[in-house]
Amino acid sequence: MARNRIAIIGGGPGGLMLARLLQLRGLAPVVFERDTHGTQRPQGGSLDLHGQTGQHALRVAGLEAAFTAASRPEDQGDRLYDSAGTLLFDRDAPSDDRPEIDRTVLRQILLDSLLPGTLRWGSRIAKIMPSDKGFSVIGAGWQEEFDVVVGADGAWSCVRPLLSDAVPVYEGVTLVELGFDVARHPAIDLLTGRGKMFAVGDNRVLVTQRNGFGHIRGYAGLRLPEETARQWRGLSPRQVRMALQEAFAGWAPSLMAVIQSGDFIGVRPLYALPVGHCWQSRPGLTLLGDAAHLMSPFSGEGVNLALADALDLASALTATGDWSAVTRYEAAMSARAAIAAAGAAQGLNGAFSPQGAAPVLAHYRARVCEM
Ligand SMILES: Cc1cc2nc3c(=O)[nH]c(=O)nc-3n(C[C@H](O)[C@H](O)[C@H](O)COP(=O)(O)OP(=O)(O)OC[C@H]3O[C@@H](n4cnc5c(N)ncnc54)[C@H](O)[C@@H]3O)c2cc1C
């Protein structure tokens, strides 16, 4: 089948990496992205890229030097507190091969690597329809024909319904995202250490994570019914902060400062696709990244999988022969993601449990023993 005209829906890390790798192999994909430019909305916090997946994809894409220059290997530390503010675990400067990089910086490295005109900003895709010539990609008032369409459009993919009936399910946990400038928040700076801080109590979690450029990203996480989470999304920042103060009442003042002093960014209910999500392969259409295997951030694998998927899919799309190379990519990708998704579900239930910090402490200690 023809594979000359390739549409990638979504210019997140997975879609951009796929475009880069296809261009290196002589193809000319088009990326449709609903954002109007690269900094239209906050891209989220720091990501750690793993050697065998995220970093490997960047190496193959010829972007290792740019990644090394921009990443922060010094920010891989872990701290764990209980809700009384007692420090239970502190690994301040480990030499894991998982350097951190800000999401905006990673996106810019990928954007800079693409040929001019590859990315169509401000192109929210409303629908994909099979046509005589392949597939119609339909936006607001326009449509264009492609041989292959790749859904790299994240949690609420518009490509996925053509392949699968699965829909993301609310995981019962909502994160409120907060931001801190180190210069204005020395106490949060001290609390965080060189990496990530978790404070874990009964079914509630506070996280702060060091980002680049003197920023720290924070999350207050708690179990909420889906309807309440939806209502919180409509509340003012002041109202959300008040609700959080009530929910975390009794926690140590040093930890309450996270809720009281952070700049409000947003309310983010966590959704996931079923663990092991897969579909009947359909020539001309496929998925990668969160569109294929959305999971909670509690495995730290999401972006790494998206980049690894892009690498494998680029090889499959440029293999000679029929669609079977892509079918094999889909099977291997689903199997790999299932392991991470099970880990993410376990991580979420360990962090948000009635046992407080104990399960997270056991997890950290086990990781140290493995090294
Ligand atoms: C709070 C939080 C923290 C996280 N922390 C980590 C971490 O530490 N490590 C890690 O590995 N992962 C982490 N993740 C997960 C990680 O962010 C995702 O797995 C990763 O971004 C997936 O990349 P992607 O390219 O598949 O999708 P996305 O990054 O979601 O990109 C999808 C793109 O598609 C665009 N789009 C969507 N719909 C359309 C449409 N209809 N038309 C056009 N464009 C569209 C979007 O604007 C977006 O740019 C975290 C996630 C969250 C929520």
Side-chain angles (χ1 to χ4, degrees):
M1 63 177 288
R3 284 188 212 156
N4 297 328
R5 300 169 306 165
I6 300 179
I8 300 169
I9 316 300
L16 296 176
M17 174 59 87
L18 177 64
R20 163 72 178 173
L21 292 164
L22 292 176
Q23 281 182 351
L24 287 178
R25 294 165 202 212
L27 294 172
V30 177
V31 181
F32 294 99
E33 169 55 49
R34 67 182 172 190
D35 291 350
T36 50
H37 54 82
T39 52
Q40 183 190 328
R41 63 189 164 92
Q43 289 293 306
S46 191
L47 300 163
D48 56 330
L49 293 199
H50 305 174
Q52 300 303 313
T53 47
Q55 288 182 55
H56 178 56
L58 283 159
R59 264 193 300 279
V60 176
L63 301 174
E64 187 177 17
F67 171 71
T68 305
S71 63
R72 293 173 286 106
E74 68 279 13
D75 283 349
Q76 300 176 71
D78 284 308
R79 280 188 182 176
L80 175 66
Y81 297 86
D82 63 17
S83 60
T86 312
L87 184 61
L88 303 175
F89 183 88
D90 187 5
R91 220 165 56 108
D92 232 13
S95 51
D96 301 355
D97 183 23
R98 295 181 168 193
E100 296 281 338
I101 187 163
D102 283 12
R103 187 187 295 258
T104 314
V105 175
L106 176 64
R107 197 189 207 192
Q108 199 56 50
I109 290 173
L110 291 163
L111 286 170
D112 291 345
S113 75
L114 297 176
L115 296 172
T118 307
L119 205 102
R120 307 250 186 102
W121 292 110
S123 304
R124 178 191 286 274
I125 304 308
K127 207 170 178 188
I128 312 291
M129 293 236 309
S131 72
D132 297 347
K133 300 179 204 136
F135 292 93
S136 302
V137 171
I138 303 171
W142 59 269
Q143 74 178 60
E144 212 170 311
E145 301 299 315
F146 289 90
D147 303 315
V148 173
V149 177
V150 179
D153 48 347
W156 305 103
S157 172
C158 67
V159 182
R160 190 174 55 232
L162 281 89
L163 292 167
S164 154
D165 292 334
V167 284
V169 172
Y170 178 58
E171 296 207 279
V173 166
T174 291
L175 302 181
V176 177
E177 217 169 332
L178 303 154
F180 306 85
D181 282 327
V182 167
R184 283 197 292 129
H185 297 283
I188 302 296
D189 186 22
L190 270 178
L191 186 75
T192 304
R194 289 249 50 108
K196 191 159 41 219
M197 170 303 278
F198 260 73
V200 184
D202 177 6
N203 278 313
R204 284 156 296 165
V205 169
L206 293 176
V207 183
T208 57
Q209 184 181 29
R210 194 166 293 281
N211 285 215
F213 309 100
H215 293 295
I216 289 176
R217 188 59 67 108
Y219 304 93
L222 70 173
R223 289 197 179 271
L224 287 182
E226 189 172 19
E227 185 49 35
T228 311
R230 216 172 274 137
Q231 286 161 3
W232 278 38
R233 297 194 75 171
L235 297 180
S236 69
R238 195 176 139 269
Q239 288 170 318
V240 173
R241 210 186 296 276
M242 277 166 55
L244 281 178
Q245 277 183 253
E246 205 174 298
F248 285 80
W251 283 46
S254 57
L255 298 171
M256 288 303 279
V258 173
I259 292 169
Q260 287 155 352
S261 65
D263 299 325
F264 176 82
I265 297 177
V267 175
R268 202 189 265 275
L270 297 181
Y271 285 82
L273 282 165
V275 174
H277 175 234
C278 56
W279 58 91
Q280 179 81 41
S281 196
R282 177 172 176 185
L285 281 181
T286 192
L287 304 173
L288 63 71
D290 278 10
H293 44 65
L294 178 68
M295 61 189 77
S296 87
F298 286 84
S299 69
E301 296 282 0
V303 81
N304 288 286
L305 292 174
L307 295 173
D309 292 351
L311 177 55
D312 295 347
L313 181 55
S315 301
L317 285 171
T318 49
T320 50
D322 58 13
W323 190 250
S324 57
V326 177
T327 306
R328 285 195 297 279
Y329 147 79
E330 289 166 343
M333 179 259 282
S334 294
R336 174 173 59 199
I339 298 167
Q346 201 183 347
L348 180 133
N349 287 321
F352 294 88
S353 86
Q355 286 119 288
V360 183
L361 182 59
H363 168 75
Y364 278 147
R365 286 187 174 149
R367 253 182 54 192
V368 170
C369 292
E370 278 166 19
M371 286 168 185

